[in-house]
Amino acid sequence: MFHLPLTSIPAQFGNIDIYLFDQLLKGRIRKGMRVLDAGCGSGRNIQYLMQAGVKVYGADISEEAIANVRAMASELAPTLSPKNFVVTDLTDLPFEDAAFEVVLCSAVLHFAQSEAHFRRMLQQLWRVLKPEGMLFCRFSTTIGMEGKLQQVAPQKYKMPHGPVWFLADEPQLRELIYTLEAELLEPLKTVLVERERSMTTLVLRKKVQGS
Ligand SMILES: C[S@@+](CC[C@H](N)C(=O)[O-])C[C@H]1O[C@@H](n2cnc3c(N)ncnc32)[C@H](O)[C@@H]1O
């Protein structure tokens, strides 16, 4: 009897975020779509997408990260232009309005310098998303950690593993979803890591105006 090779899963998907994998399983990212990975880092979340015929774009403030994803793209998806990958702060995305069917932002928003910076980044992610498009964000929040973290400034916390992070709270996220008039594609899902930090996944659909 023929069995599917389990070993091909890591070969195909690499180190993709498990919650992004969940969105793939739900068929929300498909061949031919334009997908921006905002704060793409090493590109672990776009490696598979490049090979799957997705029109991948990336943005990151780190020149080294963008050089690495350009090199990865030239090997895995040579038809993608190196210009798809840009060095920029997420507050200043050099893409047109409604350019992407999917915008990903994984493990970036808790590096915001302030609430204003956090909101400006989210506004940009929302601006470049097409109506009906999906915004997938994963970032640290206070959810489940209320009162257990060392606060050093408004919404800034010294995390048990060392750095100071910006942490959004649940009322703020609910207010944001309301203000953006977004549809929650998934309930807010939060994972507590070693009781030291919580990571929340926010998956939104941009409604067509007037719908
Ligand atoms: C922890 S890494 C996550 C990388 C990738 N998204 C992942 O999930 O593996 C955070 C990335 O966000 C980038 N970054 C942080 N703040 C940023 C900002 N304001 N604008 C653009 N990129 C930023 C960093 O350079 C880094 O590559």
Side-chain angles (χ1 to χ4, degrees):
M1 187 185 160
F2 172 76
H3 290 114
L4 290 173
L6 283 172
T7 48
S8 72
I9 297 173
Q12 237 186 311
F13 295 100
N15 195 21
I16 197 167
D17 182 283
I18 191 71
Y19 298 92
L20 182 58
F21 187 71
D22 181 40
Q23 297 306 310
L24 284 172
L25 292 177
K26 288 172 177 156
R28 291 183 178 144
I29 306 177
R30 296 183 298 278
K31 186 175 177 177
M33 283 184 166
R34 284 163 60 109
V35 174
L36 171 66
D37 190 358
C40 55
S42 65
R44 70 179 175 118
N45 286 325
I46 45 180
Q47 181 187 329
Y48 167 75
L49 300 180
M50 283 178 182
Q51 296 174 89
V54 173
K55 293 177 188 153
V56 177
Y57 292 70
D60 201 288
I61 203 161
S62 154
E63 285 185 21
E64 190 188 351
I66 292 303
N68 288 340
V69 289
R70 278 188 184 147
M72 186 165 88
S74 75
E75 194 184 318
L76 300 179
T79 57
L80 292 177
S81 167
K83 291 185 187 151
N84 286 17
F85 304 97
V86 291
V87 178
T88 181
D89 192 292
L90 298 192
T91 55
D92 195 22
L93 288 177
F95 300 108
E96 289 181 6
D97 294 359
F100 302 102
E101 277 92 5
V102 175
V103 175
L104 313 174
C105 188
S106 168
V108 183
L109 293 172
H110 48 252
F111 297 118
Q113 289 143 26
S114 62
E115 189 190 7
H117 189 216
F118 175 79
R119 283 184 185 271
R120 282 204 305 275
M121 288 197 276
L122 265 166
Q123 276 160 6
Q124 285 290 301
L125 302 179
W126 201 245
R127 177 186 69 73
V128 299
L129 186 65
K130 274 190 202 309
E132 291 291 319
M134 174 177 82
L135 173 63
F136 170 97
C137 297
R138 196 144 188 272
F139 50 101
S140 194
T141 64
T142 62
I143 299 173
M145 294 293 290
E146 292 87 350
K148 295 184 185 136
L149 290 162
Q150 186 190 343
Q151 187 162 6
V152 293
Q155 293 206 254
K156 300 288 280 284
Y157 296 85
K158 173 123 176 82
M159 304 303 290
H161 64 294
V164 171
W165 279 1
F166 173 90
L167 301 183
D169 58 34
E170 184 168 356
Q172 187 175 30
L173 295 185
R174 300 271 176 210
E175 181 263 331
L176 200 81
I177 295 162
Y178 178 80
T179 312
L180 295 174
E181 299 182 40
E183 177 192 345
L184 259 180
L185 280 176
E186 307 276 345
L188 280 185
K189 290 180 185 168
T190 301
V191 171
L192 206 54
V193 182
E194 297 284 356
R195 295 179 182 270
E196 290 195 343
R197 60 185 183 274
S198 70
M199 293 295 295
T200 297
T201 307
L202 178 68
V203 191
L204 301 179
R205 191 200 302 276
K206 189 175 192 174
K207 288 188 203 159
V208 178
Q209 280 203 333
S211 70

